[in-house]
Amino acid sequence: MTELGICRSRGIQSPERRIKLSAGARLKYVDVDGMSLPWDTPRLAGLRVVQLSGIRDDIPTVPQIVNMLQASPQLWWLLLSYLGTKYDDDSDSDTTNSDRPLQHRAPPRDWTTYKSKISKIHLPNLSTMMLDHIPDDMKYVLLTSIEAPKCECLAVDSINISFIQLRNRIFSSLLSSPIRRSTHMSLLYSRITGYLCIHSASGRSEIPNDWINYIEESPGFDVVVNMGRTNLGTAWASITDLLKSVGITKPVDLKLIGSDGPNFPPEILGDWPFITGIETGDHYNAEGLLEYLSRPKTVSNSNGEKKSLEWYCADLDKLILGNWTRGGDLPPQDTLEQFFQTRYGLDITKKTQTVKKKTPLQEGKLVLPSKISQFVLDDFPVLEYVD
């Protein structure tokens, strides 16, 4: 036997069991849900597919996972999901896994104690890697040890910003590989959760919850970063360094949501020229965003001489703004007027409104709260309003 696939029914309350493996040929495909294995068996070498999920107690240690991967250079699919976590209620229920709250059975251990003893894991054929609700020490060791130049799909459920600030070269390489293969990517920041999602706009952008889902591969990436609540200036600077290190050359959309919690610092956009679309929602206050996008940016030549005036996110051709207060209040009129003058080509005076120039945004898509309609011409092209 070289293929092992077994899944414990989630609707049946039964103790977690360890599968006994007698001596035999090496396994190539291992897909186990809710059951454990003898993790040190020599049969877990030379693997092509590893998918371990729903194992609460008897999970492999970090050295055991590393040994398994180092002994499987032909591995092309790796999914580790819900290891060392449990559902609050595992009884017979119609509730889906993603709807149930999760809790760690024990606090995460210090991953650096393993990292100093582990050599690189070279997986030249690995195309898909997904890490979802696994112990932090295991997650960070794998993200800083695995070299996978052919990786087309990377999904990681939550990375602390302190890890991003380490500026690890192997992790940057892991992320850059699927980004290079994508046609478009998005950044989503929620003020409420403090999470930044870096994900592809097409293909697989989330971790699947099906059994034997490696039958159909799909490229994409979805990396979630916990930005925290303190030292946000340094935190956002490290995100900028990460995005620069992966070499973004494709257009990127930015979505900002939420009315409470740490705000997105608009000045970061000065280092994000790749942003071509911005959208706000869930009562996100866009006043500071509009004000920053209205500022002129002086561009200098190689001799340091001022060459011309541009605008931050000069290629912005899509702006979708929702109401940023529940009452639908408007920002100061001068902020709106300055924005429309600079970024939408409007010449706004007390007597007349005329289009004075073509801009990328004017030829693209502009969606505004309906109360702003009084500030713009009725016959503007590609202009929509939302209540």
Side-chain angles (χ1 to χ4, degrees), residues 191-192 257-260 281-285 322-330 371 387:
R191 293 181 63 187
I192 298 173
I257 61 175
S259 58
D260 300 309
D282 294 342
H283 308 291
Y284 186 92
N285 191 325
N323 285 312
W324 43 88
T325 61
R326 287 175 172 79
D329 294 337
L330 291 173
K371 287 191 175 183
D387 294 325

Side-chain angles (χ1 to χ4, degrees), residues 316-385:
L316 185 71
D317 63 7
K318 181 177 71 175
L319 180 65
I320 302 175
L321 300 179
N323 285 312
W324 43 88
T325 61
R326 287 175 172 79
D329 294 337
L330 291 173
Q333 182 173 342
D334 57 349
T335 299
L336 288 174
E337 291 183 350
Q338 178 67 15
F339 172 77
F340 286 117
Q341 288 173 357
T342 57
R343 300 310 297 263
Y344 208 66
L346 266 186
D347 184 10
I348 300 180
T349 68
K350 295 181 179 180
K351 297 181 179 180
T352 183
Q353 298 180 12
T354 58
V355 178
K356 63 180 180 179
K357 61 182 178 180
K358 293 287 186 180
T359 68
L361 186 57
Q362 185 190 125
E363 297 177 344
K365 183 176 183 179
L366 181 64
V367 180
L368 302 171
S370 57
K371 287 191 175 183
I372 296 181
S373 62
Q374 60 184 293
F375 293 99
V376 298
L377 291 171
D378 293 335
D379 56 352
F380 264 23
V382 203
L383 182 61
E384 303 174 30
Y385 294 103

Side-chain angles (χ1 to χ4, degrees), residues 19 79 94 260 384:
I19 301 171
L79 188 151
D94 293 332
D260 300 309
E384 303 174 30

Side-chain angles (χ1 to χ4, degrees), residues 111-315:
W111 68 280
T112 57
T113 61
Y114 294 108
K115 185 67 185 74
S116 60
K117 304 175 183 178
I118 293 174
S119 58
K120 296 176 183 177
I121 306 171
H122 189 54
L123 300 175
N125 296 313
L126 186 69
S127 62
T128 296
M129 175 174 169
M130 301 185 183
L131 308 177
D132 179 26
H133 287 90
I134 66 174
D136 283 350
D137 55 349
M138 183 182 297
K139 173 170 54 182
Y140 294 137
V141 163
L142 296 182
L143 290 177
T144 56
S145 301
I146 291 179
E147 293 183 328
K150 294 183 179 180
C151 183
E152 296 183 353
C153 178
L154 176 67
V156 187
D157 69 322
S158 179
I159 298 176
N160 193 282
I161 188 61
S162 61
F163 172 77
I164 301 295
Q165 291 171 332
L166 295 176
R167 296 171 172 82
N168 183 268
R169 180 191 61 80
I170 292 179
F171 171 68
S172 296
S173 179
L174 266 176
L175 182 58
S176 66
S177 182
I179 285 181
R180 285 196 307 269
R181 291 167 169 82
S182 69
T183 58
H184 202 96
M185 65 177 286
S186 300
L187 303 172
L188 168 63
Y189 174 63
S190 170
R191 293 181 63 187
I192 298 173
T193 65
Y195 278 34
L196 173 70
C197 301
I198 306 171
H199 58 97
S200 52
S202 61
R204 171 171 281 157
S205 60
E206 60 182 17
I207 298 174
N209 196 31
D210 300 324
W211 191 47
I212 319 183
N213 51 56
Y214 52 81
I215 291 177
E216 182 180 352
E217 284 191 287
S218 179
F221 54 93
D222 185 43
V223 175
V224 181
V225 180
N226 184 349
M227 298 298 293
R229 301 268 169 175
T230 59
N231 300 320
L232 286 177
T234 303
W236 283 106
S238 65
I239 293 296
T240 296
D241 291 341
L242 174 64
L243 296 177
K244 288 181 178 179
S245 70
V246 299
I248 295 176
T249 58
K250 312 288 175 53
V252 178
D253 284 339
L254 172 65
K255 185 171 183 178
L256 307 170
I257 61 175
S259 58
D260 300 309
N263 214 338
F264 171 81
E267 58 272 14
I268 289 294
L269 295 175
D271 294 318
W272 292 7
F274 40 75
I275 298 293
T276 59
I278 296 178
E279 180 179 356
T280 67
D282 294 342
H283 308 291
Y284 186 92
N285 191 325
E287 183 178 336
L289 181 67
L290 291 178
E291 192 276 331
Y292 187 80
L293 292 174
S294 303
R295 295 180 188 177
K297 174 184 177 183
T298 302
V299 179
S300 302
N301 60 23
S302 58
N303 296 325
E305 300 172 345
K306 292 183 179 180
K307 186 177 180 181
S308 62
L309 287 178
E310 291 185 2
W311 312 103
Y312 295 105
C313 299
D315 295 326

